[in-house]
Amino acid sequence: GINAEYGELDSFHFNMLVTSLKDGIKSLDPMICNFCCSAIDNLATYIVQVQQGKDKQDRKNFTPHPSLPTPSRSTSSLAIAAQHLQNHFSSYPNMFSTILYTLFKVIMFDDVSNQWSVSKPLLSLIAMNPKGFSDIQRQLASKKNVIDSNSLMNAFARLLDGVNFSLECRNKDFFSQKVNIFKHEIKDFVAK
């Protein structure tokens, strides 16, 4: 399937694909933005699952996300995909952090009619790199249009409160609901 081919692209073309998706997030056309957010979520979920599969001692228990058509992939295929993805990250270490930053900027500073779609890839991206998310929180809190950075940091903490990093649909929906609450909560201390 297409998900297996993500890891088989060379790093240059993989970065081009990811950059195009990031640019699509900022599209004024909600359909393009929704498509790009869905593709980013699919890709990030796949990457997290490959990383988790690589780290497990007993790979027989590795269960891909239901939307990913890769259940019959062998352990060696997962190891190869994981190595390809690691090579991409080595070549372009900030590619997904940049997308996460962009998504939060859209949520925090823009009025979008498709916030639910924009929020969908956030949990997958955070699960890929929790430390990177901490860095992004600090970057966003230091922006000049943030009136109260302490309140923003507290809002970020509440956003993650009670959320696990399971990428099941139900948990992603729960997180998207929390993102909506986050958006309304920060409007008093973030200038647009």
Side-chain angles (χ1 to χ4, degrees), residues 105-156:
K105 276 181 48 180
V106 168
I107 287 169
M108 290 173 59
F109 303 114
D110 295 344
D111 288 322
V112 292
S113 61
N114 58 340
Q115 183 177 312
W116 188 263
S117 296
V118 172
S119 69
K120 281 304 208 181
L122 290 175
L123 187 60
S124 305
L125 291 166
I126 293 168
M128 281 178 61
N129 186 1
K131 184 198 174 306
F133 179 54
S134 296
D135 295 341
I136 288 169
Q137 291 175 55
R138 286 189 290 280
Q139 288 173 13
L140 289 168
S142 68
K143 290 189 76 60
K144 64 182 171 186
N145 46 349
V146 173
I147 298 164
D148 184 350
S149 60
N150 287 334
S151 294
L152 180 60
M153 293 303 288
N154 290 334
F156 274 122

Side-chain angles (χ1 to χ4, degrees), residues 60-111:
K60 294 177 199 166
N61 293 331
F62 178 68
T63 306
H65 188 273
S67 69
L68 303 177
T70 58
S72 62
R73 296 198 56 191
S74 68
T75 301
S76 60
S77 295
L78 282 175
I80 291 168
Q83 183 59 51
H84 282 278
L85 292 169
Q86 187 58 43
N87 292 341
H88 298 326
F89 299 146
S90 296
S91 298
Y92 301 95
N94 297 321
M95 74 171 68
F96 286 99
S97 295
T98 303
I99 291 174
L100 184 59
Y101 181 79
T102 301
L103 286 166
F104 268 103
K105 276 181 48 180
V106 168
I107 287 169
M108 290 173 59
F109 303 114
D110 295 344
D111 288 322

Side-chain angles (χ1 to χ4, degrees), residues 7 9 19 23 31 56 59 73 80 103 105 130-131 150 158 182 186 188:
L9 289 172
T19 300
D23 292 344
M31 287 182 56
K56 288 185 178 181
R59 301 213 181 153
R73 296 198 56 191
I80 291 168
L103 286 166
K105 276 181 48 180
K131 184 198 174 306
N150 287 334
R158 285 188 294 281
F182 171 83
I186 67 166
D188 294 331

